[in-house]
């Protein structure tokens, strides 16, 4: 496949995304400059993927678009999957951002809704490409990605619990985590196909799932209490 050649519009966009120059004192980029460079690499990779698809992106395309040696990309990201992980991690940051006053007093169901909506909204501008990233991680031949996805799902659910201020312990926590994992994965699957305005279809699905899970949890613990007495 030929290298990605930006058209006139993309050349102007690429020119606006020039990599930061190294510090003049020692020739090495500062931490701030590296952060800027990493953000440029991520955005450039996403721009190319919008046209070519995530599965067909090659890192030498990104290097060419940014007029960088391929080694400069490798210095920041070990492979394309690391770029995908860095992009998706932005959603975690959005989910964990401070909430408005009174958030802690809301019912758990509402706190879970608000925080996961923030996660989805952060990825919404690149929904199509992000969906392709997840699909690539599930590709049967990518066993190492499949295993990483299991770990990533568990970690994301744990941070979702933290963001929603859940404090369940013991068996209750275990049940919550299993239920949240199922809700998270099913909502993500819905979101990957969602073309509704403001992702309303996915958010409505999440709301119904949380409401149903809350009812099931309440009935389960009432039954447990009756059994115990």
């Amino acid at each position: 496949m030929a290298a990605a050649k930006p058209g006139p519009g993309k050349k102007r966009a690429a020119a606006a995304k020039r990599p930061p120059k190294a510090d003049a004192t020692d020739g090495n980029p500062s931490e701030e400059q590296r952060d800027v460079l990493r953000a440029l690499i991520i955005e450039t990779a996403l721009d190319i993927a919008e046209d070519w698809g995530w599965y067909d992106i090659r890192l030498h395309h990104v290097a060419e678009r940014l007029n960088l040696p391929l080694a400069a990309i490798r210095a920041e990201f070990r492979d394309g999957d690391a770029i995908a992980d860095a992009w998706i991690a932005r959603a975690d940051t959005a989910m964990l951002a401070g909430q408005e006053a009174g958030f802690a007093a809301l019912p758990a169901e509402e706190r879970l809704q608000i925080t996961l909506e923030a996660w989805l909204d952060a990825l919404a501008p690149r929904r199509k490409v992000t969906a392709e990233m997840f699909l690539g991680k599930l590709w049967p031949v990518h066993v190492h990605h499949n295993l990483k996805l299991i770990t990533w799902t568990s970690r994301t659910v744990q941070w979702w619990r933290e963001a929603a201020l859940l404090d369940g312990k013991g068996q209750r926590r275990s049940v919550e985590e299993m239920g949240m994992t199922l809700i998270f994965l099913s909502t993500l699957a819905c979101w990957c196909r969602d073309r509704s305005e403001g992702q309303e279809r996915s958010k409505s699905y999440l709301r119904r799932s949380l409401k149903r899970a809350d009812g099931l949890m309440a009935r389960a613990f009432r039954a447990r209490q009756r059994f115990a007495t």
Side-chain angles (χ1 to χ4, degrees):
M1 184 178 289
K5 300 288 186 182
K10 290 182 178 177
K11 283 182 180 177
R12 287 194 295 272
K17 295 181 177 181
R18 296 190 185 281
K21 294 181 179 180
D23 195 308
T25 57
D26 57 9
N28 294 319
S30 66
E31 195 62 38
E32 182 179 354
Q33 288 169 329
R34 286 194 62 187
D35 289 342
V36 172
L37 177 58
R38 287 173 63 86
L40 280 175
I41 292 171
I42 293 169
E43 291 302 321
T44 302
L46 291 168
D47 285 344
I48 295 173
E50 291 284 357
D51 296 329
W52 290 43
W54 181 254
Y55 190 75
D56 289 326
I57 194 173
R58 299 294 179 267
L59 296 187
H60 67 83
H61 299 162
V62 179
E64 180 182 349
R65 185 73 63 88
L66 287 173
N67 195 26
L68 285 171
L70 195 54
I73 307 296
R74 173 63 181 83
E76 303 302 329
F77 298 100
R78 66 181 182 278
D79 55 22
D81 194 54
I83 295 178
D85 289 344
W87 161 247
I88 295 169
R90 295 184 181 185
D92 294 345
T93 301
M95 179 173 66
L96 297 170
Q99 300 292 341
E100 296 181 0
F103 175 78
L106 294 173
E109 180 185 325
E110 290 187 39
R111 299 199 303 270
L112 287 165
Q113 180 81 26
I114 291 169
T115 47
L116 194 58
E117 281 190 5
W119 193 90
L120 296 173
D121 286 341
L123 299 175
R126 303 283 191 167
R127 185 199 59 80
K128 176 176 172 289
V129 174
T130 306
E132 292 172 354
M133 290 175 178
F134 285 120
L135 186 61
K137 290 176 181 292
L138 290 170
W139 201 252
V141 296
H142 295 165
V143 178
H144 57 300
H145 290 173
N146 301 163
L147 297 175
K148 281 175 55 180
L149 189 58
I150 294 172
T151 302
W152 171 82
T153 300
S154 175
R155 185 170 59 244
T156 303
V157 169
Q158 292 300 326
W159 280 120
W160 184 21
R161 280 181 53 82
E162 295 287 349
L165 308 179
L166 297 190
D167 292 321
K169 299 177 181 178
Q171 187 179 26
R172 182 182 182 88
R173 173 171 179 161
S174 298
V175 173
E176 285 177 351
E177 289 176 359
M178 286 189 289
M180 288 175 64
T181 299
L182 291 173
I183 291 172
F184 173 75
L185 291 175
S186 60
T187 301
L188 181 58
C190 177
W191 178 85
C192 286
R193 302 185 301 271
D194 191 357
R195 292 179 174 81
S196 62
E197 184 71 24
Q199 311 170 90
E200 187 52 42
R201 179 167 165 260
S202 298
K203 292 175 180 179
S204 295
Y205 177 87
L206 172 62
R207 194 173 298 112
R208 292 194 304 271
S209 298
L210 289 171
K211 191 174 295 294
R212 185 164 57 246
D214 187 59
L216 288 172
M217 285 279 290
R219 288 196 295 273
F221 279 97
R222 282 198 300 268
R224 184 186 174 200
Q225 288 173 344
R226 287 197 299 269
F227 180 78
T229 55

